[in-house]
Amino acid sequence: MMNYPEHLIASLQLPDGTAVTIRPARPEDVDLIKNFFRQLSPQRKHALFMENFRELPQDMLTRLAAVDYNHDMVLLAMQLKNGKESLIALSRYVTTAFPDECEFSVVVSDEWQNSGIDSHIMNALINAAKQQKLKTMTGMFLASNIEIMRLVEHLGFAVKDSDDPTVKHATKSLS
């Protein structure tokens, strides 16, 4: 891939000693992403999509794996397990209709909750957005999703109510 952003590949160690690699998604990751979403609990899927998906729709799956790296970014947190990559978290931004703005989403597998990987993969996503000269990152999430609220507040996002009392809106200046 000519424009694959290798400079965004990073290795880190979680507080429990687990080695993790964060890297941009590639088209050949489609099955890895599909299996990752299959293994998420119904509650986690609902928190992410604000609706219930049993399977990730094919068009959405394709968009997560076939990234243009200029207008959108998908980062994968990978653990090497028995010589095979295992996807443990995914973060994504897509640019919006507003100049210099992007919207984020993040999901951590059920078994990796409270591991600290959410902060690492979101910081990597924020840095990728800054490198693309984006100025603002926004996101919407269910008001009942306390984990994401704590995460975005920890990362410096301003969290506000939306017109829908079940949804919160987070905004962070990237400049």
Side-chain angles (χ1 to χ4, degrees):
M1 301 180 86
M2 287 183 47
N3 68 343
Y4 184 77
E6 290 186 28
H7 65 282
L8 295 178
I9 299 172
S11 296
L12 60 107
Q13 193 169 19
L14 297 178
D16 70 357
T18 303
V20 173
T21 299
I22 295 177
R23 64 168 177 80
R26 302 181 295 243
E28 60 267 25
D29 291 323
V30 70
D31 287 335
L32 192 68
I33 295 168
K34 185 178 190 177
N35 291 332
F36 173 74
F37 279 95
R38 275 187 180 154
Q39 295 173 14
L40 293 175
S41 68
Q43 297 84 0
R44 190 124 350 259
K45 289 176 187 174
H46 181 73
L48 178 64
F49 298 109
M50 296 187 216
E51 55 184 285
N52 293 317
F53 284 125
R54 201 179 130 132
E55 289 282 329
L56 199 58
Q58 187 61 42
D59 64 326
M60 195 176 294
L61 184 59
T62 301
R63 283 194 309 267
L64 288 171
V67 182
D68 79 4
Y69 309 118
N70 292 316
H71 298 98
D72 58 329
M73 178 61 65
V74 176
L75 296 177
L76 308 177
M78 310 297 294
Q79 176 200 25
L80 197 58
K81 193 175 187 178
N82 302 323
K84 190 175 176 185
E85 281 188 318
S86 173
L87 179 55
I88 63 173
L90 180 148
S91 64
R92 176 184 190 216
Y93 76 68
V94 294
T95 54
T96 69
F98 298 103
D100 305 323
E101 182 181 282
C102 63
E103 187 172 340
F104 78 90
S105 61
V106 61
V107 62
V108 175
S109 70
D110 293 87
E111 70 178 275
W112 287 90
Q113 292 296 309
N114 303 312
S115 68
I117 191 61
D118 55 354
S119 291
H120 289 290
I121 200 165
M122 275 300 295
N123 276 320
L125 189 71
I126 290 166
N127 289 333
K130 286 178 179 179
Q131 289 177 25
Q132 288 297 325
K133 310 276 191 262
L134 296 170
K135 304 290 184 213
T136 306
M137 184 174 277
T138 66
M140 292 175 41
F141 57 93
L142 291 173
S144 60
N145 191 340
I146 302 303
E147 293 137 343
I148 191 76
M149 184 162 349
R150 285 185 187 137
L151 172 65
V152 296
E153 286 177 339
H154 171 75
L155 295 173
F157 283 78
V159 177
K160 298 185 178 179
D161 293 332
S162 70
D163 294 338
D164 179 344
T166 66
V167 176
K168 297 278 187 183
H169 189 261
T171 305
K172 179 177 178 71
S173 172
L174 302 178
S175 43

